[in-house]
């Protein structure tokens, strides 16, 4: 054997170990690739689970600060692993870290799993995280609806349709579902208004007696009527308003009293009634007559003559509906709307405040055990908003006898008294952080209406309610049907704005 042959044999012998090394390196690389792909797939699956968990935990913590979010996080991780049974069988450690942003608070969800090297036999700890923040603010809205003579019977279907669409949008009911029963975060009160606001409730027949102030049911100027036996008090079921299912009440009509809108109702109210000619009464009840002094004098004595009490045309037949998330109740009340008589915007605005006032909560007030909620505080951000629709026509408003106690009219000009009351009331609403949105429909531009009674009396105060002109809008039109699209657009923007302000949830990592 020569040296050349021997050298070749040694070279062939060296190839086998080298080949084994190369094969081992290739297998290791393949194992790393397979394990790495598997780990990335597992991490991606877990990331989807932590995303869903972070959103759920942030939302629940915003809704309920006392919720056991750690337990919730573990359940959500387990239920969102999908079909990955290998991952589901692994021991996953879940922990939470609070996070805070300018928009809201929430949690970072960190899920750690041990990723085994199935080919290499080496395991690695892998942590996946997601973070979300949320804000949950209960929303209460008082929707003011004009049913005075400025809105014709032909316009009423449009008013009902606009109102229903607005309510559906507030509740995110895009498919026209039949119920809002699952929504525990949003409530709407309906406040139809003419010269006054009715608070009749067939389910609360004692409201008139419970809310009436001492002698409020037997005002002195009607002494002759009560003595006649025709009726014994304004709560008597024979009284025209009682027979017509109307109940319009008042309180706090004096300067600076602002309807006492944020005070409890028991024993505070007087009761409106209408002394008028029979032909000026409202359908629903026949008038009654008696011989006595003129009621407008506010006295039990005077020149006797035949007097008439009629059902009150200025009292809406559709009563105020307290806060509700019952679609059937809300829409049913809207279907009752019909045109009534003249208009008093300030009285209506005061009742909108009472619809949102926590002092009206419970059996003594609206009969709702937990509503209205408390006013917004640093620890409890409850969002309350008034959305006021108005059909403005003519130059007569807020200066009639509905606006003051009998015999105690304003000492100065009635228009100035009215203007100051809007300012005072809206300043109180701003202090209580009530949001305010206004849509007024009237013929002509702002310049055309610059000298109107509404512009002089109501607008300065309503601008205080609104905070700026961004939430006050006027639509140029003489008929709701002609400007339906413009009103609907404004209502949609209001609904979306309120929803954004009330609550949101967002992933931030």
């Amino acid at each position: 054997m020569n040296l050349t042959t021997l050298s070749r044999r040694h070279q062939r012998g060296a190839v086998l170990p080298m080949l084994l090394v190369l094969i081992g390196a290739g297998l290791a690389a393949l194992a790393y690739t397979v394990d790495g792909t598997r780990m990335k797939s597992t991490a991606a699956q877990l990331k989807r689970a932590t995303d869903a968990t972070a959103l759920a935990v942030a939302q629940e913590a915003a809704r309920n600060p006392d919720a056991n979010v750690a337990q919730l996080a573990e359940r959500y991780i387990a239920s969102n692993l999908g079909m990955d049974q290998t991952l589901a069988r692994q021991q996953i450690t879940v922990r939470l870290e609070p996070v805070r942003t300018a928009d809201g608070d929430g949690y970072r969800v960190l899920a750690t799993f041990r990723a085994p090297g199935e080919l290499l036999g080496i395991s690695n700890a892998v942590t996946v995280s997601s973070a979300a923040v949320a804000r949950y603010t209960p929303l209460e809205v008082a929707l003011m609806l004009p049913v005075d003579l400025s809105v014709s019977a032909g316009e009423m279907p449009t008013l009902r349709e606009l109102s229903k669409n607005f309510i559906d949008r507030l509740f995110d009911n895009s498919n026209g579902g039949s119920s809002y029963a699952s929504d525990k975060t949003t409530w709407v009160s309906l406040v139809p208004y003419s010269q006054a606001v009715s608070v009749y409730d067939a389910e609360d027949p004692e409201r008139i007696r419970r809310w009436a102030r001492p002698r409020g049911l037997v005002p002195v100027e009607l002494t002759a009527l009560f003595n006649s036996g025709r009726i014994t008090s304004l709560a008597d079921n024979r009284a025209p308003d009682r027979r017509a299912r109307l109940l319009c009440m008042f309180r706090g009509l004096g300067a600076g009293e602002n309807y006492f809108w944020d005070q409890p109702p028991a024993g505070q109210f007087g009761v409106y009634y209408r002394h008028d000619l029979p032909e000026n009464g409202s359908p629903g009840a026949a008038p009654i007559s008696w011989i006595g002094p003129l009621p407008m004098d506010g006295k039990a004595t005077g020149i006797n003559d035949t007097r008439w009490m009629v059902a009150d045309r200025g009292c809406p037949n559709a009563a105020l509906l307290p806060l509700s998330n019952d679609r059937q109740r809300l829409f049913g009340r809207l279907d009752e709307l019909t045109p009534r008589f003249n208009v008093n915007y300030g009285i209506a605005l005061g009742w909108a405040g009472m619809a949102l006032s926590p002092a009206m909560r419970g059996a003594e007030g609206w009969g709702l055990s937990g509503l209205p909620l408390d006013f917004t505080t640093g620890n409890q951000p409850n969002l309350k908003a008034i959305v006021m629709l108005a059909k403005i026509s003519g130059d007569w408003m807020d200066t009639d006898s509905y606006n003051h106690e009998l015999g105690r009219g304003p000492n100065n000009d009635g228009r100035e008294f009215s203007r100051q009351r809007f300012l005072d009331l809206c300043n109180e609403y701003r202090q209580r952080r009530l949001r305010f949105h206004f849509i007024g429909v009237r013929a002509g531009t702002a310049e055309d209406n610059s000298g109107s009674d509404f512009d002089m009396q109501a607008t300065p105060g309503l601008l205080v309610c609104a905070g700026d002109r961004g939430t006050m809008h006027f639509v140029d039109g003489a008929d709701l049907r002609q400007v339906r699209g413009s009103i609907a657009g404004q209502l949609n923007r209001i609904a979306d704005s309120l929803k954004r302000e009330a609550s949101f949830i967002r992933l931030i990592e």
Side-chain angles (χ1 to χ4, degrees):
M1 183 181 296
N2 57 36
L3 292 176
T4 300
T5 301
L6 183 61
S7 174
R8 287 174 178 171
R9 286 180 178 178
H10 280 296
Q11 290 176 11
R12 287 196 299 271
V15 168
L16 183 58
M18 181 63 69
L19 182 59
L20 292 174
V21 171
L22 291 174
I23 291 173
L27 289 173
L30 178 61
Y32 275 114
T33 300
V34 171
D35 285 347
T37 301
R38 172 63 180 165
M39 185 174 67
K40 288 180 180 178
S41 175
T42 300
Q45 177 66 28
L46 189 56
K47 173 63 174 170
R48 288 190 287 272
T50 57
D51 283 351
T53 302
L55 290 168
V57 167
Q59 185 177 48
E60 183 62 23
R63 288 174 179 267
N64 179 15
D66 298 325
N68 188 337
V69 290
Q71 191 176 78
L72 178 65
E74 291 180 357
R75 288 203 313 268
Y76 255 79
I77 289 290
S79 63
N80 281 277
L81 294 178
M83 301 302 293
D84 194 334
Q85 296 301 314
T86 301
L87 180 57
R89 287 193 298 269
Q90 293 174 6
Q91 184 67 36
I92 299 175
T93 302
V94 181
R95 60 190 177 90
L96 300 178
E97 295 177 352
V99 296
R100 173 168 290 182
T101 68
D103 293 331
D105 298 339
Y107 285 92
R108 180 178 293 107
V109 179
L110 302 101
T112 302
F113 70 99
R114 182 66 60 175
E118 296 180 355
L119 297 179
L120 294 177
I122 303 172
S123 63
N124 298 299
V126 178
T127 298
V128 177
S129 68
S130 302
V133 293
R135 181 176 64 236
Y136 164 75
T137 305
L139 173 62
E140 299 173 339
V141 177
L143 178 60
M144 298 174 58
L145 300 170
V147 292
D148 59 281
L149 285 177
S150 69
V151 184
S152 68
E155 294 172 274
M156 278 295 164
T158 300
L159 179 62
R160 296 189 197 102
E161 178 193 9
L162 289 167
S163 303
K164 291 176 181 180
N165 290 342
F166 171 75
I167 294 170
D168 265 344
R169 195 172 184 105
L170 271 181
F171 286 95
D172 292 318
N173 188 34
S174 58
N175 61 1
S178 61
S179 176
Y180 306 135
S182 62
D183 193 298
K184 305 300 183 184
T185 66
T186 302
W187 299 271
V188 174
S189 173
L190 300 177
V191 188
Y193 66 93
S194 181
Q195 281 181 287
V197 170
S198 177
V199 292
Y200 173 81
D201 185 350
E203 298 177 2
D204 187 7
E206 292 303 308
R207 176 174 292 172
I208 186 172
R209 292 181 174 85
R210 190 172 66 251
W211 287 10
R213 62 196 181 192
R215 298 198 60 80
L217 297 177
V218 286
V220 65
E221 70 275 9
L222 298 180
T223 299
L225 170 59
F226 302 140
N227 289 340
S228 73
R230 299 298 306 274
I231 61 173
T232 57
S233 78
L234 292 178
D236 192 317
N237 288 331
R238 295 173 294 174
D241 282 354
R242 308 294 80 77
R243 292 166 60 194
R245 299 163 69 91
L246 304 175
L247 178 56
C248 281
M249 307 182 78
F250 63 90
R251 65 172 174 178
L253 298 180
E257 293 178 343
N258 303 328
Y259 312 109
F260 299 139
W261 69 278
D262 57 354
Q263 297 184 24
Q268 286 207 7
F269 285 85
V271 181
Y272 285 122
Y273 62 87
R274 193 173 195 91
H275 162 253
D276 209 335
L277 296 175
E279 57 267 29
N280 293 331
S282 168
I288 59 175
S289 64
W290 76 100
I291 304 296
L294 182 66
M296 299 302 294
D297 289 344
K299 299 176 182 178
T301 59
I303 299 175
N304 287 335
D305 203 344
T306 300
R307 313 299 178 184
W308 294 91
M309 179 181 288
V310 300
D312 191 352
R313 292 177 62 195
C315 186
N317 67 299
L320 184 153
L321 180 68
L323 291 168
S324 175
N325 61 0
D326 186 323
R327 189 175 191 260
Q328 185 175 354
R329 283 177 62 84
L330 289 162
F331 282 24
R333 187 57 48 91
L334 290 171
D335 289 338
E336 297 175 12
L337 301 181
T338 60
R340 297 301 283 179
F341 201 47
N342 295 319
V343 66
N344 283 295
Y345 299 104
I347 290 172
L349 189 60
W351 277 108
M354 283 183 266
L356 301 176
S357 172
M360 301 288 290
R361 184 165 54 211
E364 292 300 303
W366 298 122
L368 306 174
S369 60
L371 298 172
L373 298 170
D374 290 338
F375 292 118
T376 291
T377 63
N379 298 324
Q380 186 58 58
N382 296 323
L383 179 59
K384 297 173 182 283
I386 295 172
V387 178
M388 180 178 181
L389 274 66
K391 178 80 181 298
I392 305 164
S393 64
D395 275 337
W396 182 90
M397 54 163 279
D398 284 62
T399 53
D400 64 20
S401 60
Y402 284 78
N403 289 280
H404 54 80
E405 296 273 2
L406 197 62
R408 291 173 50 195
N411 295 324
N412 56 6
D413 177 67
R415 290 177 175 82
E416 178 57 31
F417 180 87
S418 168
R419 178 181 181 276
Q420 187 60 49
R421 187 156 59 188
F422 278 106
L423 287 167
D424 293 342
L425 183 60
C426 282
N427 273 311
E428 290 190 2
Y429 285 178
R430 290 285 290 175
Q431 291 168 10
R432 295 292 196 173
R433 304 187 191 180
L434 269 61
R435 304 294 192 274
F436 180 78
H437 295 267
F438 175 86
I439 301 174
V441 179
R442 63 186 182 187
T445 64
E447 289 74 17
D448 296 331
N449 289 278
S450 60
S452 68
D453 273 5
F454 188 91
D455 198 58
M456 298 296 290
Q457 293 179 54
T459 298
L462 296 184
L463 285 173
V464 173
C465 272
D468 57 62
R469 286 190 178 272
T471 59
M472 278 195 73
H473 301 279
F474 288 93
V475 178
D476 180 5
D479 192 298
L480 297 181
R481 292 166 290 190
Q482 297 170 355
V483 290
R484 179 197 171 282
S486 297
I487 301 170
Q490 294 291 349
L491 286 171
N492 287 344
R493 282 188 281 274
I494 292 170
D496 293 344
S497 172
L498 289 173
K499 288 189 296 183
R500 283 194 302 270
E501 188 175 0
S503 58
F504 82 98
I505 180 170
R506 182 174 68 245
L507 276 172
I508 59 173
E509 293 178 9

